[in-house]
C-alpha cells in the first residue's frame, strides 16, 4: 500500500541484506516512523511493545527474529532459545506459533552454515505468501460488497463496520478485513467504513483510520459503544473483522469487543464476516472461549491515552482517578454460531468444523503440539 | 454522599438564598470544582456543556433555571422563553421535560409576585423527592445483590457491571444504579463494581470510578469493549445501569453502548437491571428505537481525550488522524425484551407496559403533549 504516495510494506529486509525494517506503529497516526531491528531481542521487544502488531505481521516479524538469532548464533541451543523467547512475546495470535514452526522446519535439519540463508529465504516466503493470501481474500470477499452495492440506489454508500485494525498495517501488505474494502474502492464501488476506535490501544482510530485515509477510502471513526445503535438504524450493511486465532470449530478470537459487535449483528440481521489467512486457523483448539489464552496487558493502557496536543506535542494523559484499578483483557472470543462466514484465501466458507476441514484438508490433521 | 469526607449534594442553593451551586463535573476526576450559576443562560450552558449531566440532575438543574429566569423577569413571556430554552438544551433525557412541566404547573397560575418563591419551593421539592426516590431504589435493589451474595463462598465478591455514570453525580444524591451498590457496601456486603469507561466522554472512568473511590467501594475501570468477555467467563454477576428515558413499553434509552451490554447479558444469562426514578418514564412514547430522539454531539468528543499529564497539567489530545471524520451518537435504546427488570422507587418491576402502568397508574394516562 502507499504511504504519502510511496509503495511500502510493513516489514522488509534493509539494503544491508540482513537487518529488518519495520513501520513503528506506536507513532501513528501523528507521526510516520520506521525502525531498524538488528537482533532477536529487538524483534521480541518490537512485538511485545507493539511496534509491530496484527496476527499476520507478528508471524512475519517472528520469522525475521529467528533469522537475526541465527545470524548471531546458529546452534541448536540458540535456535531453541529464540523460538521460546519469541513464542512468549504474545500469547493469543496463533500466527506467531505457526510462523515459528515454519521457520524451525526450514532450518532445523540443515548444517549450521546453511541455516541463516535458509531462514532469510523462508521468512521472505512467509511475507510473500501473506501478501498473496490477502490478495485472494480481497478477491473472495469482493462479491459480498458488490452484492450489497447492487441493491443500493445510485449514490448510496455501502457501509462496512470494522473493529480494531485488520488492515495492511496488521499484515505484510493489503490487510485481511480491509482487502475486500480496498479492492471494492479501487473498483469504483462507493464503500464507506465505520472504524471502531478500539479502546484501549485505539488501533481503529490510530491505524485503520490512518491507512484508509492514506488510500482515500471514506471512513468515520466511532466510539466502540456505537455499532449497536448504527445497526438498529440500518446504518451498517456488513461487518468485516480480522482475527488472531480461529479454532477448528470456527470460534473467532479477535480484539476485545468483537464479540459485542457480533451479538448486535445477529440481533439486527447484519452479516458478520471474519477475514483470515489460513495460518490464523488453530486446528489444535476446538472451543475458543474455554481454550484460547487471552492476553492481559498493563492497566496503564486503560488508564491513559496518548495523542497530539493542539500545538503538536505528543502527550500521554491519565483518564481515571488515582487509586482506581483498571483491567485490560486484550481479546475476546466470538462463538462460531454468531459468524456469518469466514473469508479465506480459498473462498468464503462457513464457520464450522466441516467447512474448515474441507477447505484446508492438509492442515486439519494438526494436533496439539507441546512446546519443543 | 461525601467528597473528601464532607457531605454534599450535586446541586444546592447558595447561602445568598437565590444563586445555585453545582459541582463542575467536567473537571473530575482530576480536580474537584464547584460553580455558581446566577442566570437562566448560565444554567442552560451548564446543562449543554455538561457541567451537570445525568437525567435526574438535568431535571433538577432545569428547575433552578426556571427559578433564576423568574427572578429576572416573572412575566408569562419570560417563563415561556425559559421553558423553551431549557427544553432545547439536551434532547434525550425526559426528566428535563418532566421537571420543566412540574415547574410550569407550580408557577403558571400564580400572580407574578409569588412566582419566584413558588419556583424555589418546587425546585427544592424536586431535589428532595429525587433523593427520597433514590433511597427507595437502593432499598428495592438491595435484595438482588443480597441474593447473589448468599450464593457466594466466603470471601467471594459480588461483581456488578455498570455503564456510564448513574451514580450520585447523575442525580441530586445517592444515585440510581449505584443506590443498591452503596447500600450493599454500607451493609458490609463484598460488592465490587466493573465500571465501563464509557467513551467518548468517559463518565465511567472519570465520574463513576471517582465517586466509588470517594465512598470506598472496590471497583475496576474497563474499556467498553470488555464486558462481553467478562460475562462469558462468569466474572459479572449482575448488571445495573441507569437510564435517560424509559418508554411505556419498557424500552430503555441510556448512554451509547448500553444495548451491547444488554445483548451480552442475555447471551450469558447475566441479569440486566435498569434503575430509574419514575420521572424518567415517558408514557407518551411506546417504541424507544423508533421514537426517542438520540442526541448527536460534537465529533471532537470522539476525536480527542482530556486528562492529566504526569506533571499534573490538564491536556486535551487528538487521537484520530487529521482528516478523519468522527460520529458521536450519545445514546442508544435497549429493547424491553433484553431487560430483566426495572428497579424503581415502588419496587422491582418487569419492563412491560402492564407492569409500568400498574406501578405508576397516576402517570400511565400521560399522552403526547405539544410544546406549549
Amino acid at each position: 500500500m502507499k504511504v504519502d504516495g510511496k509503495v511500502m510494506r510493513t516489514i522488509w529486509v534493509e539494503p544491508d541484506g540482513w537487518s529488518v525494517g519495520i513501520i513503528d506503529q506506536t507513532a501513528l497516526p501523528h507521526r510516520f516512523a520506521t525502525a531498524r531491528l538488528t537482533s532477536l531481542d529487538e524483534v521480541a521487544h518490537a512485538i511485545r511493545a507493539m511496534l509491530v502488531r496484527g496476527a499476520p505481521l507478528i508471524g512475519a516479524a517472528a520469522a525475521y527474529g529467528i533469522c537475526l538469532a541465527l545470524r548471531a548464533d546458529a546452534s541448536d541451543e540458540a535456535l531453541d532459545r529464540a523460538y521460546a523467547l519469541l513464542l512468549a512475546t504474545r500469547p493469543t495470535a496463533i500466527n506467531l506459533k505457526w510462523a515459528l514452526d515454519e521457520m524451525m522446519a526450514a532450518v532445523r535439519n540443515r548444517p549450521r552454515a546453511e541455516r541463516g540463508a535458509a531462514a532469510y529465504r523462508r521468512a521472505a516466503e512467509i511475507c510473500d505468501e501473506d501478501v498473496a493470501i490477502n490478495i485472494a481474500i480481497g478477491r473472495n470477499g469482493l462479491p459480498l460488497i458488490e452484492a450489497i452495492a447492487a441493491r443500493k440506489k445510485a449514490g448510496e454508500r455501502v457501509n462496512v463496520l470494522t473493529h480494531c485494525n485488520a488492515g495492511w498495517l496488521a499484515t505484510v501488505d493489503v490487510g485481511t478485513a480491509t482487502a475486500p474494502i480496498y479492492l471494492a474502492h479501487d473498483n469504483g464501488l462507493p464503500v464507506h467504513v465505520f472504524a471502531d476506535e478500539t479502546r484501549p490501544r485505539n488501533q481503529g482510530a490510530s491505524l485503520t483510520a490512518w491507512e484508509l485515509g492514506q488510500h482515500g477510502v471514506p471512513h468515520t471513526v466511532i466510539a466502540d459503544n456505537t455499532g449497536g445503535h448504527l445497526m438498529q438504524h440500518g446504518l451498517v450493511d456488513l461487518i468485516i473483522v480480522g482475527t488472531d486465532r480461529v479454532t477448528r470449530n470456527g470460534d473467532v478470537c479477535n480484539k476485545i469487543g468483537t464479540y459485542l459487535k457480533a451479538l448486535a449483528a445477529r440481533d439486527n440481521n447484519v452479516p458478520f464476516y471474519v477475514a483470515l489467512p489460513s495460518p490464523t486457523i488453530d486446528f489444535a483448539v476446538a472451543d475458543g472461549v474455554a481454550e484460547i489464552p487471552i492476553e492481559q496487558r498493563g492497566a496503564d493502557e486503560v488508564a491513559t491515552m496518548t495523542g497530539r496536543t493542539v500545538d503538536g506535542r505528543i502527550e500521554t494523559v491519565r483518564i481515571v482517578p488515582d487509586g482506581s484499578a483498571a483491567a485490560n483483557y486484550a481479546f475476546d472470543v466470538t462463538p462460531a454460531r454468531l459468524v456469518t462466514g469466514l473469508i479465506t484465501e480459498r473462498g468464503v466458507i462457513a464457520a464450522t468444523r466441516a467447512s474448515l476441514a474441507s477447505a484446508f484438508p492438509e492442515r486439519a490433521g494438526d494436533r496439539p503440539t507441546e512446546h519443543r
Side-chain angles (χ1 to χ4, degrees), chain A:
Chain A
M1 307 296 294
K2 287 182 181 176
V3 177
D4 294 329
K6 184 185 159 206
V7 173
M8 290 199 80
R9 285 184 173 186
T10 55
I11 191 165
W12 58 89
V13 176
E14 294 284 359
D16 61 19
W18 66 273
S19 66
V20 178
I22 57 167
I23 297 173
D24 176 0
Q25 302 194 21
T26 61
L28 289 172
H30 305 298
R31 197 166 56 87
F32 179 79
T34 60
R36 181 169 165 263
L37 309 177
T38 62
S39 69
L40 169 64
D41 284 343
E42 287 178 7
V43 171
H45 169 77
I47 297 173
R48 221 181 283 118
M50 296 178 65
L51 281 70
V52 290
R53 26 63 56 200
L57 178 55
I58 289 171
Y64 279 113
I66 295 287
C67 297
L68 291 171
L70 289 174
R71 196 168 180 274
D73 179 348
S75 69
D76 282 3
E77 297 67 34
L79 186 57
D80 287 345
R81 252 198 326 272
Y83 182 102
L85 178 75
L86 290 164
L87 190 66
T89 48
R90 297 198 61 195
T92 303
I94 195 64
N95 308 58
L96 176 60
K97 180 171 185 303
W98 173 86
L100 289 170
D101 287 340
E102 290 291 312
M103 294 301 288
M104 288 302 251
V107 303
R108 182 60 120 170
N109 296 323
R110 289 180 186 276
R112 290 188 186 192
E114 295 176 13
R115 283 180 170 177
Y120 276 97
R121 275 198 308 277
R122 185 68 192 113
E125 282 170 8
I126 286 174
C127 290
D128 291 343
E129 286 164 14
D130 181 64
V131 178
I133 283 173
N134 295 340
I135 291 170
I137 287 172
R139 242 182 252 126
N140 294 334
L142 178 64
L144 301 173
I145 297 175
E146 288 175 330
I148 295 164
R151 294 196 304 266
K152 295 263 177 180
K153 296 193 197 103
E156 279 183 356
R157 307 187 299 190
V158 177
N159 290 299
V160 183
L161 184 144
T162 192
H163 189 68
C164 198
N165 175 263
W168 75 270
L169 290 171
T171 65
V172 176
D173 205 352
V174 180
T176 53
T178 53
I181 294 167
Y182 285 130
L183 190 54
H185 176 82
D186 292 346
N187 288 358
L189 293 174
V191 63
H192 165 264
V193 178
F194 282 112
D196 278 356
E197 64 171 344
T198 319
R199 279 279 290 153
R201 287 187 66 102
N202 264 39
Q203 296 96 328
S206 57
L207 303 180
T208 303
W210 181 82
E211 64 164 271
L212 291 172
Q214 289 284 327
H215 199 74
V217 179
H219 62 280
T220 304
V221 177
I222 50 175
D224 300 309
N225 285 321
T226 314
H229 172 76
L230 295 178
M231 289 184 236
Q232 283 180 318
H233 290 269
L235 298 171
V236 176
D237 296 304
L238 175 67
I239 297 177
I240 312 179
V241 297
T243 168
D244 296 83
R245 193 186 305 207
V246 171
T247 72
R248 68 169 175 269
N249 290 352
D251 293 343
V252 171
C253 183
N254 190 42
K255 182 54 39 68
I256 190 84
T258 302
Y259 166 53
L260 296 172
K261 295 302 141 63
L263 287 168
R266 183 184 57 174
D267 204 45
N268 295 284
N269 294 310
V270 173
F272 180 90
Y273 284 93
V274 180
L276 66 140
S278 56
T280 305
I281 307 167
D282 186 354
F283 281 99
V285 162
D287 180 338
V289 174
E291 298 179 53
I292 297 176
I294 300 297
E295 179 177 7
Q296 291 194 55
R297 297 183 60 86
D300 270 1
E301 292 183 357
V302 175
T304 64
M305 289 282 271
T306 300
R308 201 192 56 206
T309 61
V310 198
D311 52 346
R313 286 169 295 119
I314 302 298
E315 289 268 16
T316 297
V317 294
R318 184 172 173 90
I319 53 178
V320 306
D322 292 326
S324 288
N328 185 5
Y329 297 85
F331 302 92
D332 65 20
V333 173
T334 299
R337 64 186 152 85
L338 299 176
V339 177
T340 309
L342 303 172
I343 310 174
T344 78
E345 69 265 32
R346 295 193 185 159
V348 179
I349 65 173
T352 62
R353 189 168 190 157
S355 292
L356 281 160
S358 150
F360 300 97
E362 77 283 14
R363 294 206 43 226
D366 291 6
R367 279 291 161 266
T369 49
E370 290 307 303
H371 170 56
R372 40 186 114 195

